Amino acid sequence: MAPINIVIIGASAVGNTAAHALLEDAQRLNAKITLINPSKTFFWNIAAPRIVAKPNAFRADEYLLPIEKSFAKYPATSFEFILGTATAIDTSSKTVSVTPADGEAKTLSFDHLLIASGATTPSTTGETTGFSIPFKPSGRDDLKELIEAAQKKTTSAKNIVIGGAGPIGVELAGELAEAVDQGVSITLVSATDRVLHTLKSSASSAAEDQLKKKNVKVLTSTRVIGVESSGDSWVVSLDSGEKLTTDLYIPTTGSIPNNAFIPESFLGPDGWVKVDKQLRVQPADGSSSLPIYAAGDITNNSMRLGMKAVEQARIAANNIKVDVLHSGERKSYHQGDSVMMVVPIGEAGGTGQVFGFVPFSFMVRMIKSKDFFVPKAPLWLAGKA
Ligand SMILES: Cc1cc2nc3c(=O)[nH]c(=O)nc-3n(C[C@H](O)[C@H](O)[C@H](O)COP(=O)(O)OP(=O)(O)OC[C@H]3O[C@@H](n4cnc5c(N)ncnc54)[C@H](O)[C@@H]3O)c2cc1C
Ligand SMILES: *[C@@H]1O[C@H](CO)[C@@H](O)[C@H](O)[C@H]1NC(C)=O
């Protein structure tokens, strides 16, 4: 009997976890899993704020890990990695069009499909400034070069403005403040009246205190309304009327769905893929029984976090198995509403919110600031997050 084709688009937190979960059962499923991704490496982007600020904090091979190697243990009949980009999904012929990094465009048939294409950010695409500060995979196989170029910019700037004071903006400000020479000015612009405004206010004050001790200027209740290049520098216009002249502007807000290849009918008004609790795609036409799932950042589930992505990956893989085997118990995803976030501010500390409590700075250091979870990257790639 010909194997069942399961195609997964995207090989990051979701794609890798789901692929391993399915491959563990590949024989019983009589399945072949095809994983498509534009880069050969899995990017430990959780550490991006430290990576872009401190070129020597980690080795590149600690945060850019070869994807195929982690699947080498499976027989070639059950697994294929395609270095390339999915360009279209045809629901009636059940095919995915793929443009490989080299070679001709091709069409893959699927019996079951998992969309795991995630999200990017304005800093990654460089749409505001024309250059990339990569906080997410780039959609090409060029992250090493992008990161090196970003490190050159952060280490040579004498004046840096960071737009947005959510966790990424705060973490980046803390890392840069530690990395730069004395006399380099760092300004963090927060649209809200306190940084980290989704966390408890005591976390915000802790963050503001720690940043000020590191000589970061924090502007609250201030919005960036325009960024213009002016020769070698940038002019950042604020809604207060003030204009900041800077060598480097880094936006840290915004999340953009990687949905260019996804049928319009799968997408909600903001461009995220609509899924039900079982993570099955819910097209606008009501044909909810398509054998197509989506998980992680690309979905309309609002907590776009790595751990939530992994949780969804396991649920989607489980439900695909149930579809294939016509037996077993289907699972559902409930994101809950508890905030779990640790925010390093440099190597010595930070803040956050864990089970309703704001952790002491030294606890944040022990949990995350010391290494940004980099030692966990191989586990996530191996499906053991
Ligand atoms: C700076 C930063 C720090 C973060 N820190 C944390 C943290 O501390 N803790 C936490 O839990 N979460 C954190 N997150 C969130 C976390 O990174 C995401 O939730 C997680 O990466 C989502 O995984 P994913 O697999 O859904 O998608 P992504 O990681 O976005 O991966 C999608 C993959 O699909 C690929 N792809 C896209 N389009 C196509 C296509 N057309 N064809 C083939 N492949 C495609 C992409 O190249 C990429 O490899 C952070 C995010 C950022 C930006
Ligand atoms: C996602 O969209 C689907 C279909 O519209 C909807 O049923 C579901 O509740 C949405 N999920 C969230 C978390 O809003």
Side-chain angles (χ1 to χ4, degrees):
M1 208 169 72
I4 288 187
N5 285 316
I6 305 176
V7 173
I8 302 177
I9 301 171
S12 182
V14 170
N16 295 320
T17 304
H20 283 289
L22 290 163
L23 280 160
E24 277 159 18
D25 268 336
Q27 295 226 303
R28 194 159 66 102
L29 298 168
N30 183 29
K32 181 186 171 196
I33 285 86
T34 304
L35 184 60
I36 309 163
N37 199 64
S39 65
K40 293 189 208 69
T41 53
F42 166 56
F43 178 29
W44 189 253
N45 75 297
I46 286 176
R50 181 163 295 167
I51 293 167
V52 300
K54 297 176 180 165
N56 300 319
F58 310 107
R59 295 187 319 271
D61 65 3
E62 291 179 286
Y63 55 77
L64 291 173
L65 284 70
I67 295 166
E68 267 184 285
K69 217 171 136 189
S70 101
F71 293 95
K73 63 183 177 193
Y74 304 110
T77 47
S78 21
F79 180 75
E80 184 181 357
F81 178 77
I82 298 180
L83 180 68
T85 305
T87 55
I89 297 170
D90 186 324
T91 52
S92 51
S93 63
K94 291 205 271 178
T95 55
V96 175
S97 307
V98 180
T99 302
D102 36 49
E104 303 270 297
K106 54 178 157 187
T107 309
L108 303 177
S109 294
F110 65 81
D111 299 296
H112 302 268
L113 178 67
L114 174 61
I115 303 173
S117 56
T120 186
T121 69
S123 68
T124 307
T125 63
E127 61 192 47
T128 316
T129 53
F131 58 83
S132 173
I133 303 288
F135 292 148
K136 287 301 290 274
S138 65
R140 297 174 302 274
D141 199 25
D142 59 358
L143 258 182
K144 194 158 185 285
E145 295 74 28
L146 287 185
I147 288 169
E148 282 166 8
Q151 290 167 335
K152 281 213 178 83
K153 290 213 181 271
T154 59
T155 51
S156 61
K158 294 284 167 257
N159 185 306
I160 303 173
V161 176
I162 300 167
I168 302 170
V170 168
E171 288 180 8
L172 181 67
E175 294 302 313
L176 286 169
E178 233 169 42
V180 298
D181 297 329
Q182 260 193 340
V184 174
S185 142
I186 298 168
T187 307
L188 179 66
V189 184
S190 171
T192 48
D193 61 355
R194 55 187 177 94
V195 306
L196 300 176
H197 78 281
T198 60
L199 304 188
K200 291 192 160 185
S201 63
S202 58
S204 304
S205 349
E208 283 169 26
D209 284 351
Q210 292 178 45
L211 288 169
K212 279 172 192 162
K213 281 198 189 113
K214 291 186 179 310
N215 292 320
V216 174
K217 277 174 235 157
V218 180
L219 304 179
T220 52
S221 305
T222 307
R223 206 171 269 283
V224 173
I225 55 169
V227 182
E228 272 169 53
S229 148
S230 147
D232 286 343
S233 54
W234 295 89
V235 177
V236 179
S237 304
L238 307 177
D239 63 354
S240 58
E242 203 183 338
K243 288 183 191 297
L244 306 175
T245 301
T246 184
D247 300 332
L248 181 59
Y249 172 70
I250 307 179
T252 65
T253 56
S255 191
I256 306 164
N258 293 325
N259 63 10
F261 65 97
I262 300 174
E264 197 77 39
S265 68
F266 292 11
L267 306 178
D270 299 325
W272 307 104
V273 174
K274 295 173 294 178
V275 291
D276 64 8
K277 288 206 171 356
Q278 297 186 354
L279 304 177
R280 203 190 269 268
V281 171
Q282 302 294 302
D285 63 8
S287 52
S288 59
S289 58
L290 288 174
I292 304 180
Y293 289 80
D297 278 17
I298 188 61
T299 70
N300 65 336
N301 289 315
S302 61
M303 282 190 193
R304 296 198 171 83
L305 290 169
M307 275 317 298
K308 296 286 174 188
V310 166
E311 193 183 332
Q312 291 176 55
R314 296 213 170 97
I315 290 165
N318 173 80
N319 292 347
I320 291 172
K321 285 184 200 179
V322 174
D323 288 351
V324 173
L325 297 169
H326 303 289
S327 72
E329 198 181 323
R330 302 182 66 81
K331 291 189 176 150
S332 293
Y333 171 72
H334 303 280
Q335 76 176 15
D337 49 17
S338 69
V339 179
M340 277 282 270
M341 194 165 280
V342 277
V343 182
I345 301 175
E347 270 149 54
T351 186
Q353 191 168 315
V354 180
F355 301 119
F357 292 97
V358 174
F360 292 114
S361 185
F362 78 88
M363 295 168 84
V364 177
R365 178 185 71 223
M366 291 194 308
I367 298 169
K368 184 169 175 191
S369 315
K370 60 174 174 20
D371 61 13
F372 266 89
F373 300 142
V374 161
K376 290 189 199 271
L379 297 174
W380 282 51
L381 174 56
K384 295 177 180 144

